[in-house]
Amino acid sequence: MKKFRGVFLKNDKEIGLMREANRIVSRILDELGKNVRPGVPTMLFEEICRARCDEYGVRPAFLGYQGFPYALCCSVNEEIVHGFPSRERILEEGDIVSFDMGVVYSGFYGDSARTFGVGEVSAESQKLMDVTRESLYKGIEQAVPGNNLYDISAAIQSYVEGFGFGIVRRFVGHGIGSHLHEKPEIPNFVPKGISGIPLKAGMVLAIEPMVTVGTHEVEVLDDKWTAVTKDGKLSAHFEHTIAVTSDGPRILSLSE
């Protein structure tokens, strides 16, 4: 695999394998979304993930990663990311729930995330989810050869802050390939005093805005994983894995 400024550049075969890994992730997220409803324990979604990984013959990417104990990150309401599925946590009408899921297929990783509303949600919750999702696509539009990495960051930040929402700084997107987390880091805001790198065809990036109703400040719970908003307000999370190509960005984490 070639490298540019420390970033692995994937060839067509490798991107093809990553497309399949991410297609599987997307199909699992489709099924999770269909099962989101009031009264469901969040452990149900972990069970679905494990069953589908067995069915597809892939390995859950997160299970055991740096000690993470589940295949799925399942984060409800003020939980930003890395939440634990639970038999005790029951989804309630008006909640929002974020699923972050990854698999390993033929040595390459897929990674994607979505946030779903549970039953009827408030106008504020719906707007938060819509803005977060759309900010992801604003970022993806900038993932073209010759642009700077931070053009992605700037597009996300400008869109999100235009609606008065906060952007989590502690967690960022990342390169992805034969490892879950590769260079470069992809912040959803433009860091001060740091130069980004030029984007090159062959880069594969996991872009993942995490957006809050209130403060961007984060606390991690006693389980050492679950990240929550410091003010207890809602957070949403969307992620696609994309390939930078000479024809523009190609979203890999689609079901078809």
Side-chain angles (χ1 to χ4, degrees), residues 7-216:
V7 179
F8 288 109
L9 303 179
K10 283 75 175 179
N11 60 34
D12 288 345
K13 179 180 179 181
E14 291 160 341
I15 290 173
L17 291 171
M18 296 192 72
R19 168 71 181 108
E20 182 60 17
N22 281 282
R23 184 184 69 86
I24 291 168
V25 173
S26 182
R27 288 189 168 185
I28 293 171
L29 290 174
D30 289 344
E31 184 171 351
L32 297 185
K34 291 174 183 176
N35 283 276
V36 171
R37 60 186 182 275
V40 171
T42 57
M43 185 57 74
L44 170 68
F45 305 107
E46 172 76 7
E47 293 167 351
I48 291 171
C49 287
R50 300 245 192 153
R52 293 302 162 263
C53 285
D54 288 345
E55 180 182 315
Y56 284 115
V58 295
R59 179 167 62 84
F62 303 162
L63 182 61
Y65 182 75
Q66 296 183 353
F68 189 77
Y70 297 99
L72 177 70
C73 295
C74 179
S75 307
V76 181
N77 293 337
E78 76 284 358
E79 296 172 353
I80 300 166
V81 71
H82 304 153
F84 288 1
S86 169
R87 299 196 187 282
E88 287 70 46
R89 184 65 182 264
I90 309 298
L91 293 181
E92 298 180 1
E93 186 86 13
D95 285 343
I96 63 173
V97 57
S98 299
F99 300 129
D100 190 357
M101 174 63 186
V103 306
V104 187
Y105 171 83
S106 294
F108 285 88
Y109 282 78
D111 188 9
S112 186
R114 302 179 200 167
T115 301
F116 297 91
V118 182
E120 293 292 326
V121 301
S122 69
E124 181 180 60
S125 296
Q126 189 63 55
K127 184 177 180 182
L128 174 67
M129 291 188 289
D130 291 344
V131 168
T132 308
R133 184 191 305 105
E134 187 60 26
S135 76
L136 170 59
Y137 288 102
K138 295 292 184 184
I140 290 171
E141 287 173 3
Q142 299 301 315
V144 297
N147 271 6
N148 190 285
L149 176 72
Y150 291 158
D151 290 332
I152 296 173
S153 309
I156 292 170
Q157 181 175 14
S158 175
Y159 190 78
V160 168
E161 292 183 345
F163 288 90
F165 291 130
I167 298 168
V168 172
R169 268 100 168 132
R170 183 162 173 176
F171 303 104
V172 298
H174 51 92
I176 186 170
S178 58
H179 297 85
L180 179 58
H181 293 109
E182 297 181 352
K183 291 183 178 180
E185 290 191 342
I186 310 162
N188 299 303
F189 61 96
V190 180
K192 294 180 179 179
I194 304 175
S195 300
I197 62 171
L199 296 174
K200 295 282 188 181
M203 290 181 175
V204 181
L205 310 174
I207 303 171
E208 50 178 327
M210 301 174 200
V211 177
T212 64
V213 169
T215 182
H216 65 80

